[in-house]
Amino acid sequence: MAGITQVSSNKCFGGYQKVYSHESEELKCKMNFSVYLPPKAEDAGVKLPVIYWLSGLTCNEQNFTQKAGGQKLAASHGCIIVCPDTSPRGCNIEGEEEGWDFGTGAGFYVDATEEKWKMNYRMFSYVTKELPLLISSNFPADPSLMSIMGHSMGGHGALICALKNPGLYKSVSAFAPICNPVNCPWGEKAFSGYLGSDKNLWKEWDASCLAATYQGPPLQIFVDQGEEDQFLKDGQLLPDNLVESCAKAGVPIILRKQAGYDHSYYFIATYLEDHFTHHAKFLQ
């Protein structure tokens, strides 16, 4: 396979859960990604739809594959799942290891513009450009049939990837996404570090701001939010702000608030089937 090295392979629900590494041109470092190939991937000449999963703060390419139970659903729907890491690794940038909510494990899926970070912290371009090309070049993936979803910081990432690239993804969904980072502590810390002090620039990476001005082809947004989520209560997630922006711009959105559920993968595993069903409608 061109440009990638297999790290692990495990048979799972008739297909294979694999991890690969490669040298990223966008991030200027070695990166891992996981890919689940359903049984249909072994059929000659087949091209399958791809769902990208973006994980949250402190996570890597393994969290979803080990905790969510998505392989059974992907096997049933005949789709590939790709999970990138959440940031560059080992770049030796001063300060990237000092906190759990900035730097390593916390790339926020933006392309940094600040001098210190802009060479390596280009997760947006990595996820939307470099990785899909790598996937379509090495696996039986149909680049015209892509959807994206994520959790928390990765939910923010999924939303902005879809809203900033009209038509690239057939659908988008998120669990407990950071919906309005320009107005929450996590976003303010990350954006000031990666993007600088100009808050107008921040708006270009904020799902609520992007939804308010969205003019692309129809995009159905599907969000699940646990009502007992500590980060919802702390004002980090702000899903109602996203709903308000979508209403103003006429962007369809489903926001479900789930009583009793928190921010964990127990919440994700409970409702993941609904998200696969949502994406399958648009990936025919």
Side-chain angles (χ1 to χ4, degrees), residues 246-266:
C246 287
K248 289 179 179 177
V251 176
I253 183 169
I254 298 168
L255 170 63
R256 305 193 308 187
K257 294 185 178 180
Q258 306 291 5
Y261 286 90
D262 57 20
H263 200 71
S264 71
Y265 267 83
Y266 298 112

Side-chain angles (χ1 to χ4, degrees), residues 107-112 121-124 156 160 191 194-195 205:
F108 266 83
Y109 304 100
V110 303
D111 285 349
Y121 278 69
R122 296 180 50 80
M123 287 299 295
F124 179 78
H156 144 78
I160 65 168
F191 286 7
Y194 296 134
L195 305 173
W205 303 97

Side-chain angles (χ1 to χ4, degrees), residues 223-253:
V223 175
D224 267 318
Q225 174 63 62
E227 290 187 341
E228 296 304 314
D229 188 325
Q230 68 187 84
F231 302 117
L232 175 67
K233 296 178 179 180
D234 291 345
Q236 297 281 18
L237 306 179
L238 306 173
D240 293 329
N241 292 8
L242 177 62
V243 171
E244 182 178 346
S245 293
C246 287
K248 289 179 179 177
V251 176
I253 183 169

